[in-house]
Amino acid sequence: MLVATVQPSRSEDRPLRIVTFGTSLTARGAWQDALARAIQPCVARPVEVEILARSGASSAWALTAVADVVALRPDIVLIEFSANDAALDRWILPSTSEANLRTIIARLRHGSTVPRIVLMAMNPVIGLRGVLRPFLNYYYDIYARVAAQEGLTFIDHRPGWRALSVSELAAALPDGSHPRSEIATRIIVPAIKEALFPHCGA
C-alpha cells in the first residue's frame, strides 16, 4: 500500500484521508500524488491519498480486501473494478459484479466511520485487451446505476478519453489498457477534484 501526502503551510485538523481502491488502473496509475496536491487547497489541511489496489484485481478480490479499507478509516473511498470484472476470462457476470459492488458498499457503510463512497468509470480498453472486454461500458454503466440508486457520487472519466483522437488514444494506452501516467493524471485528477469540491476553483 502506498501513501501520497501533501502538507499545507500550517498544521490544522487531522489529514483528509482518501483511499483509492481498485485494479492496476489505480495501482499503476500514478495520479494519486497529483490528486493530493490538487485538492489540498480545497480543504486547507493535510491530504493523504492511499492506494489499496492490485494488478489483476476484480470485485471478487475487493470483497476480501474491503476490511482493510475500513480499517484505514477513510473520509473518501474511490472505487473501480469494472475493467477486470468485464474481462471474459474472469467469468464475472454483470449480476455478480453488481452484487459484489453492493456488498462492498454495505461493508464500507457498516464501519466505525462512514466514508463518502465514490464509484468511477475509468478509461476505455483497446486492441486485444479490448477484445477480451466487449461489454466494458455495460459494466461501467452498472456503477452509474448503483451510484444513483445508493445516493453515491459517480465519476465518469470516459468523456475525457473520448476527447482524444484515435492516434492520441493509441499513444495514451500503449498496451491497450494502462494509460501513460501523465495522460491519466491530466484526465482523472480534474474530474475527481470537480466532483468532490465543485466550488473550489480551477
Side-chain angles (χ1 to χ4, degrees), residues 13-83:
D13 299 328
R14 71 174 183 83
L16 177 76
R17 177 169 292 169
I18 301 173
V19 173
T20 56
F21 189 36
T23 69
S24 55
L25 301 180
T26 290
R28 297 168 48 183
W31 42 267
Q32 285 86 353
D33 285 334
L35 178 63
R37 291 193 298 271
I39 67 175
Q40 191 279 314
C42 303
V43 297
R45 56 178 167 137
V47 176
E48 296 178 353
V49 182
E50 308 201 25
I51 303 172
L52 208 166
R54 191 175 75 173
S55 294
S58 68
S59 61
W61 172 83
L63 290 175
T64 71
V66 68
D68 296 328
V69 178
V70 172
L72 292 170
R73 301 183 66 187
D75 299 289
I76 300 168
V77 181
L78 306 175
I79 303 174
E80 60 85 14
F81 290 98
S82 299

Side-chain angles (χ1 to χ4, degrees), residues 72-102:
L72 292 170
R73 301 183 66 187
D75 299 289
I76 300 168
V77 181
L78 306 175
I79 303 174
E80 60 85 14
F81 290 98
S82 299
N84 286 336
D85 280 12
L88 296 178
D89 58 350
R90 300 305 175 90
W91 301 100
I92 298 179
L93 295 172
S95 58
T96 303
S97 180
E98 180 173 342
N100 289 348
L101 178 61
R102 290 185 184 276

Side-chain angles (χ1 to χ4, degrees), residues 132-155:
L132 281 173
R133 296 166 172 83
F135 307 111
L136 176 58
N137 279 319
Y138 184 83
Y139 283 76
Y140 280 153
D141 289 342
I142 289 171
Y143 273 43
R145 176 164 49 80
V146 170
Q149 293 173 349
E150 296 288 339
L152 308 178
T153 299
F154 174 66
I155 302 177

